[in-house]
Amino acid sequence: MGVFTSESEHVSPVSAVRLYKAIVLDASNVFPKALPNFIMSAETVQGNGGPGTIKKLTFAQGLGYVKHHVDAIDTENYVYNYSVIEGSALSEPLEKISYEYKLVPTPDGGSIVKSTSKYYTKGDEQLTQEYLKTGKERSTGFTKAIEDFLLANPDYN
């Protein structure tokens, strides 16, 4: 099995606590609202939201679904680790994708979103830099859509 790592950092105008709540704690409500053309629904299919929980995102327009396994949650330090374990995001040659999001508060009330993605391939399969770049752009775009939703809805907690 090969492991390929990609890291990114994004400065957000949204506070760490608010962004963390939207992405981790209230995903089932926020994701379909923030990404209506991409995510049809987000639901917990097993567990209580903590480590070991399985979440399912169903994509719009018949694009399939993914299941996430929650690996770790640290609400005090705004860290969230999960792995994509099933679904349309796991096309050949991927076995699994693990993500770590860490939100760091900034003095101006915003946050820095630090993301690490680990792609686990089957056998000796390789991933191109272009593939990793596309994954990084998708992740940043996802975070940006959540930010835009929160900025457009300042009363949404």
Side-chain angles (χ1 to χ4, degrees), residues 20 35 83 85 87-88 102 113 118 128 131 155:
Y20 189 84
L35 297 137
S83 297
I85 57 168
S88 52
K102 181 172 183 162
V113 181
K118 291 186 179 179
T128 64
Y131 186 93
D155 295 331

Side-chain angles (χ1 to χ4, degrees), residues 89-107:
L90 292 180
S91 59
E92 287 296 327
L94 295 176
E95 186 172 300
K96 139 178 131 166
I97 309 168
S98 293
Y99 297 95
E100 177 181 272
Y101 283 98
K102 181 172 183 162
L103 305 175
V104 180
T106 58

Side-chain angles (χ1 to χ4, degrees), residues 53-103:
T53 294
I54 306 290
K55 296 181 179 184
K56 180 180 180 183
L57 300 179
T58 302
F59 300 128
Q61 304 170 4
L63 296 175
Y65 72 96
V66 293
K67 284 189 180 176
H68 294 175
H69 177 271
V70 176
D71 300 322
I73 292 181
D74 180 348
T75 54
E76 289 181 23
N77 295 301
Y78 309 115
V79 177
Y80 181 54
N81 296 8
Y82 69 92
S83 297
V84 175
I85 57 168
E86 183 181 309
S88 52
L90 292 180
S91 59
E92 287 296 327
L94 295 176
E95 186 172 300
K96 139 178 131 166
I97 309 168
S98 293
Y99 297 95
E100 177 181 272
Y101 283 98
K102 181 172 183 162
L103 305 175

Side-chain angles (χ1 to χ4, degrees), residues 3-133:
V3 180
F4 300 84
T5 302
S6 176
E7 296 179 338
S8 65
E9 200 169 284
H10 168 77
V11 177
S12 173
V14 179
S15 72
V17 66
R18 193 161 181 243
L19 193 55
Y20 189 84
K21 182 179 180 196
I23 292 173
V24 179
L25 306 177
D26 199 24
S28 60
N29 292 315
V30 174
F31 288 6
K33 292 175 184 172
L35 297 137
N37 296 324
F38 185 63
I39 296 179
M40 190 169 64
S41 66
E43 61 185 306
T44 298
V45 295
Q46 177 183 318
N48 63 0
T53 294
I54 306 290
K55 296 181 179 184
K56 180 180 180 183
L57 300 179
T58 302
F59 300 128
Q61 304 170 4
L63 296 175
Y65 72 96
V66 293
K67 284 189 180 176
H68 294 175
H69 177 271
V70 176
D71 300 322
I73 292 181
D74 180 348
T75 54
E76 289 181 23
N77 295 301
Y78 309 115
V79 177
Y80 181 54
N81 296 8
Y82 69 92
S83 297
V84 175
I85 57 168
E86 183 181 309
S88 52
L90 292 180
S91 59
E92 287 296 327
L94 295 176
E95 186 172 300
K96 139 178 131 166
I97 309 168
S98 293
Y99 297 95
E100 177 181 272
Y101 283 98
K102 181 172 183 162
L103 305 175
V104 180
T106 58
D108 64 359
S111 58
I112 298 171
V113 181
K114 296 181 178 189
S115 174
T116 301
S117 306
K118 291 186 179 179
Y119 299 86
Y120 296 84
T121 60
K122 299 172 183 172
D124 293 332
E125 296 286 338
Q126 299 293 307
L127 297 178
T128 64
Q129 288 302 313
E130 186 63 31
Y131 186 93
L132 297 175
K133 179 181 173 192

Side-chain angles (χ1 to χ4, degrees), residues 126-156:
Q126 299 293 307
L127 297 178
T128 64
Q129 288 302 313
E130 186 63 31
Y131 186 93
L132 297 175
K133 179 181 173 192
T134 300
K136 189 183 296 189
E137 290 169 351
R138 189 177 305 125
S139 178
T140 300
F142 180 84
T143 302
K144 182 80 172 100
I146 302 297
E147 286 174 8
D148 290 346
F149 171 78
L150 293 173
L151 292 170
N153 296 280
D155 295 331
Y156 191 89

